[in-house]
Amino acid sequence: CKKLPHELGWAKFGRGGWRDSVGTALWGEKKQDVLLTGPDGAPGKDADKLDLMLVVRISKTHYDDASRTVQGRPCVLILPRDKSALLLENGHFWLSKEQIVKVYHLVDDKQFEKAFNERSNNLAFALTMNPADVRATSYIAPRNKLTASEWGHLIFMAEFSSTLTELELSNAGQVPLELRVQFAKALFASD
């Protein structure tokens, strides 16, 4: 898509009207195919095509080439199937790893709720807290050193919890700088 996510009404995890806007911009009349809930209440047949969002680098030559768009859908950019834009491997064309800037996994509400509950339960067990308290607290003070897995749960909770805003590290053991940075980024991203 030639537009930036915020130009299509981005909402965290691709929620709200974003999927509808992307469907219109990229699928046109077939946008119902990518919606999570179609007119009959069931997911569209291609709803899984928006489970990931890739931010990629494309050459300016290809990006600015009007002949590479689809009539009536100027947000669609079709890259040439040649080595000037893509890698050829096993008869298929691929973006190189260097062209992929970031991959976002956009989860649906049920998957998110399941992951959130599972992680908060695991974190509650590690912190010897009630899972409901972990989900509702704004402040966590670990009593013991956290394992890498527990840090993963904590970073996930910081990123996706609307309540967790502080972490006391005095008893958490030697905390690698990378984990502190990830935790800080997660807190910042949840604002």
Side-chain angles (χ1 to χ4, degrees):
C1 182
K2 292 181 75 171
K3 285 193 174 182
L4 297 172
H6 72 276
E7 294 174 314
L8 293 167
W10 172 254
K12 197 169 187 180
F13 309 115
R15 294 183 181 162
W18 182 79
R19 187 177 280 259
D20 187 71
S21 296
V22 171
T24 300
L26 301 181
W27 278 265
E29 294 175 3
K30 295 183 178 184
K31 78 172 182 178
Q32 296 294 328
D33 292 352
V34 296
L35 299 181
L36 291 174
T37 307
D40 59 356
K45 68 179 183 122
D46 294 324
D48 64 333
K49 291 194 177 185
L50 292 180
D51 284 351
L52 296 175
M53 178 176 66
L54 280 70
V55 177
V56 298
R57 287 185 184 97
I58 303 297
S59 77
K60 185 161 175 44
T61 305
H62 295 309
Y63 186 86
D64 292 338
D65 184 352
S67 71
R68 308 236 49 91
T69 61
V70 174
Q71 187 174 2
R73 291 185 279 157
C75 293
V76 175
L77 177 67
I78 299 173
L79 294 174
R81 290 184 177 210
D82 63 38
K83 293 180 181 180
S84 70
L86 303 167
L87 298 174
L88 175 62
E89 184 152 332
N90 298 328
H92 299 283
F93 289 95
W94 306 90
L95 287 169
S96 70
K97 288 181 183 178
E98 294 76 27
Q99 288 174 283
I100 301 171
V101 177
K102 183 99 174 163
V103 177
Y104 294 94
H105 183 92
L106 309 176
V107 294
D108 68 27
D109 289 335
K110 288 179 184 173
Q111 289 175 323
F112 172 75
E113 186 176 333
K114 181 180 176 187
F116 188 83
N117 287 335
E118 186 177 306
R119 292 219 181 215
S120 61
N121 289 342
N122 290 336
L123 187 58
F125 179 78
L127 299 173
T128 61
M129 290 177 70
N130 181 318
D133 293 340
V134 168
R135 290 182 195 100
T137 190
S138 64
Y139 178 80
I140 288 183
R143 293 184 193 98
N144 302 310
K145 182 178 179 181
L146 297 174
T147 66
S149 174
E150 292 161 355
W151 268 104
H153 300 316
L154 190 58
I155 290 166
F156 180 90
M157 294 295 294
E159 186 170 355
F160 300 116
S161 169
S162 58
T163 56
L164 182 61
T165 58
E166 291 183 59
L167 173 68
E168 170 61 49
L169 295 174
S170 59
N171 295 326
Q174 188 71 13
V175 181
L177 179 61
E178 178 182 322
L179 292 175
R180 287 178 189 247
V181 169
Q182 283 181 331
F183 185 78
K185 282 182 179 178
L187 284 180
F188 180 73
S190 65
D191 286 346

